[in-house]
Amino acid sequence: MPLPPAVRVSTHGHVRTIRLDRPARMNSLDLGAKTQLLAALQAAADASDVRAVVLTGSGRAFCVGQDLEEAQTAEGPDAMADAVREHYSPLVRTLLTMPKPAIAAVNGVAAGAGMALALACDFRIAAASATFTTAFAGIGLSCDTGISWTLPRVAGRATALDLLLRPRPIGATEALDLGLLHQVTADEDLDAEVRHSAAALAAGPTRAFAAIKAAVTSASASTLDAALEYEAAQIAHTGASEDYRRGLNAFLARQKPSFTGH
């Protein structure tokens, strides 16, 4: 008998929701879950009618990272490195580079690669009961899923090293204070707040959002001159868009713009 899907996907308007759905395993990532999640993220990134993406989990966890029972069967360190290259790195790369905003709706525990996936999203909204931990060093491992890249950029090098070298659960309020989150809501309000935020982003100038994401990512590893030139190129790209014409005309008419994403 085939196993049930580990990821559920739904679309409402221009918002695509991708939900890890292994609640009995705290949405840990076995091979099936990693494969399905990557496929779902890539499909959302490529879909022209999807203008915002929500990543969340079922039950009491967002995602607790690698399924450690599966990890016990790994065939040595080289196989572990291959798994990072084949699964975890593409997951975070897809989130960081998709040409539309991604929101992490952190409904519960986010640990290890799960925390890293949340950090790879553009916005992070958490339930008040959510907790976070880097987890990696707690089992004698280095870090993966891009957290060495995202965490220092989100919270600074000192905080990143503290959280990575001394892994411990931190609550949503502390995570907000550290800059890891954009918003904390009551547990019962999380879904409604995420729907509202995602709908607002999906109604925005999608091409401009994509260009801004690309510019910020490019600038993090470039010289000032290179960043300025990249900005000029992206201005030309977005200046040719329908949304720019709509936005400019609405501004001059003192009206609210209606963007199409093109």
Side-chain angles (χ1 to χ4, degrees):
M1 175 180 289
L3 294 174
V7 173
R8 287 192 287 126
V9 177
S10 60
T11 305
H12 300 281
H14 294 292
V15 177
R16 175 74 53 85
T17 298
I18 299 171
R19 184 181 299 273
L20 287 163
D21 195 29
R22 301 183 75 215
R25 300 290 302 160
M26 301 282 283
N27 298 323
S28 59
L29 299 171
D30 63 1
L31 178 59
K34 287 178 284 194
T35 302
Q36 292 172 39
L37 178 58
L38 180 58
L41 288 172
Q42 290 175 334
D46 292 341
S48 60
D49 61 329
V50 173
R51 296 169 62 186
V53 176
V54 174
L55 178 62
T56 192
S58 296
R60 60 194 181 95
F62 174 76
C63 173
V64 296
Q66 172 64 39
D67 187 321
L68 294 181
E69 287 191 4
E70 181 186 75
Q72 288 181 313
T73 65
E75 298 178 357
D78 289 343
M80 294 170 67
D82 289 343
V84 169
R85 296 186 182 102
E86 183 177 352
H87 299 291
Y88 289 108
S89 297
L91 285 171
V92 70
R93 187 179 293 113
T94 301
L95 281 167
L96 286 168
T97 62
M98 67 169 53
K100 57 203 69 175
I103 300 175
V106 186
N107 54 297
V109 181
M115 179 174 172
L117 289 174
L119 289 170
C121 293
D122 304 303
F123 298 92
R124 290 166 294 282
I125 303 174
S129 65
T131 60
F132 300 81
T133 179
T134 59
F136 298 101
I139 58 171
L141 282 178
S142 181
C143 52
D144 58 36
T145 320
I147 199 168
S148 65
W149 196 91
T150 56
L151 186 53
R153 285 166 170 78
V154 169
R157 183 177 188 274
T159 297
L161 284 173
D162 178 30
L163 295 177
L164 287 164
L165 298 180
R166 300 192 299 169
R168 61 198 182 277
I170 63 171
T173 299
E174 183 179 357
L176 181 66
D177 291 341
L178 291 174
L180 305 182
L181 298 173
H182 296 84
Q183 186 177 350
V184 175
T185 75
D187 288 22
E188 62 272 19
D189 295 335
L190 179 64
D191 288 346
E193 189 58 44
V194 170
R195 282 197 303 270
H196 175 77
S197 296
L201 288 167
T206 309
R207 184 183 293 191
F209 288 164
I212 290 168
K213 283 185 64 171
V216 169
T217 299
S218 175
S220 67
S222 71
T223 65
L224 173 61
D225 286 344
L228 294 175
E229 180 55 34
Y230 193 92
E231 285 182 347
Q234 292 302 315
I235 283 291
H237 173 65
T238 54
S241 68
E242 178 183 341
D243 276 346
Y244 169 66
R245 291 191 294 274
R246 285 172 168 264
L248 179 61
N249 290 337
F251 178 83
L252 294 174
R254 298 184 179 180
Q255 298 174 345
K256 183 177 179 179
S258 175
F259 294 117
T260 66
H262 300 100

